Amino acid sequence: MRRLLGAAALCALLLSGCGDADNPAPSDPVTSAPADVAPTTAVADTDRVTATATPDTAEVTSTPAAPAEPTPTTAAATTPAPAPTSGAPGPAPSTGACTGDQLSQDILGFPGGVHVYFCDGDWAFASYPDAPGAPEFIAQRVDGRWFHAVAIGDPVCSEDLAARGAPPSIAKLLPRCDELTPTAPPTTAPPTTAPPTTAPPTTAPPTTAPPQPACVINTNLYGDTHAELIGVTCVEATAEWELAEANAEPSWTIPWITPTGWECYVTPFDPESAAAGACYGPDGHAYFTLYLP
């Protein structure tokens, strides 16, 4: 009997704890207190289980780890810089080609001012078609650049030009030296008059050399000048001056070196200047000055 009464009391106690739909049982404060501990353990266990069970599920439900620090790459340092393009325009150096435009560019500083008749090695026969009278001249190429060598009509003979290295096809454009400078009449003809009967003079011959004939050189800026020659002939001085005047910019202080090594000063125009210029030979012993009348 006591056992039956104990069992009935226990059932009544259980029924009063569970409650019914109209009168729910009050929550147990003791069992709900550590709620923050149980879910944490459950989540951790679930995460561990799902991570090992199926990788796809673990990737979704597991807590992502903190992102690692990015490792600096050295690709930029090891990647070579792109090579410069070769199509960029640059200054075009003188090619030395024997064409009218190349001679005009080298001598005049612009194309289109020279017409070439023919070339032979480093020499050319050409003209300035736009200048008055279309003057003809001979050009020489030195170190890849063309220079005005001599104008046709200057007092320079073919032998002199050949000595400077001109080929026969170019040198023959100038007159021979015996044609340029008339020779004196022969002195071997017998005299037509009787020899003198007086005794020859006893005075000593003069010790000074006779004066040289005047050398007149025409210049572009000053006209005709009188050349004072030291160790050089008038023909040689004229040839060097023609080279300097055709290729140099006038300057009081900066000389121009001709292809044969002469150092020439072309004087800028000045109405009060006493000289048009001067040239000095490479050996230092020959020179000339062009003085105004």
Side-chain angles (χ1 to χ4, degrees):
M1 178 61 75
R2 283 197 298 262
R3 291 179 180 178
L4 291 175
L5 291 176
L10 180 59
C11 290
L13 180 62
L14 292 174
L15 291 174
S16 62
C18 295
D20 53 12
D22 296 332
N23 296 310
S27 59
D28 190 357
V30 176
T31 59
S32 62
D36 56 340
V37 176
T40 303
T41 305
V43 171
D45 295 340
T46 305
D47 181 59
R48 183 167 57 254
V49 170
T50 55
T52 57
T54 58
D56 296 338
T57 307
E59 183 177 354
V60 175
T61 60
S62 63
T63 303
E69 289 292 330
T71 303
T73 178
T74 59
T78 59
T79 302
T85 59
S86 59
S94 176
T95 61
C98 189
T99 64
D101 282 344
Q102 189 63 67
L103 267 71
S104 180
Q105 185 68 49
D106 288 350
I107 298 174
L108 303 177
F110 57 86
V114 171
H115 173 72
V116 174
Y117 296 122
F118 71 89
C119 306
D120 191 345
D122 290 332
W123 297 80
F125 177 39
S127 68
Y128 300 111
D130 298 331
E136 298 175 335
F137 69 99
I138 295 172
Q140 181 184 6
R141 179 169 49 196
V142 179
D143 295 332
R145 180 183 173 185
W146 289 97
F147 295 91
H148 178 116
V150 59
I152 301 299
D154 286 345
V156 180
C157 59
S158 59
E159 289 87 343
D160 291 338
L161 198 63
R164 290 163 54 180
S169 61
I170 295 292
K172 72 179 184 180
L173 298 173
L174 302 180
R176 297 197 310 268
C177 292
D178 56 356
E179 297 174 344
L180 187 64
T181 305
T183 57
T187 57
T188 57
T192 56
T193 58
T197 57
T198 58
T202 57
T203 58
T207 56
T208 59
Q212 289 184 331
C215 177
V216 177
I217 297 179
N218 182 265
T219 64
N220 292 335
L221 297 179
Y222 292 93
D224 288 341
T225 62
H226 297 282
E228 181 181 286
L229 309 175
I230 303 297
V232 61
T233 66
C234 186
V235 172
E236 293 171 340
T238 302
E240 296 299 332
W241 180 257
E242 290 286 347
L243 276 172
E245 195 173 39
N247 297 283
E249 289 291 335
S251 172
W252 296 101
T253 57
I254 301 176
W256 186 82
I257 309 300
T258 69
T260 54
W262 281 71
E263 186 176 276
C264 294
Y265 292 83
V266 180
T267 304
F269 181 74
D270 184 352
E272 299 181 358
S273 177
C279 293
Y280 302 88
D283 58 358
H285 299 293
Y287 61 91
F288 62 89
T289 303
L290 306 184
Y291 289 105
L292 302 180

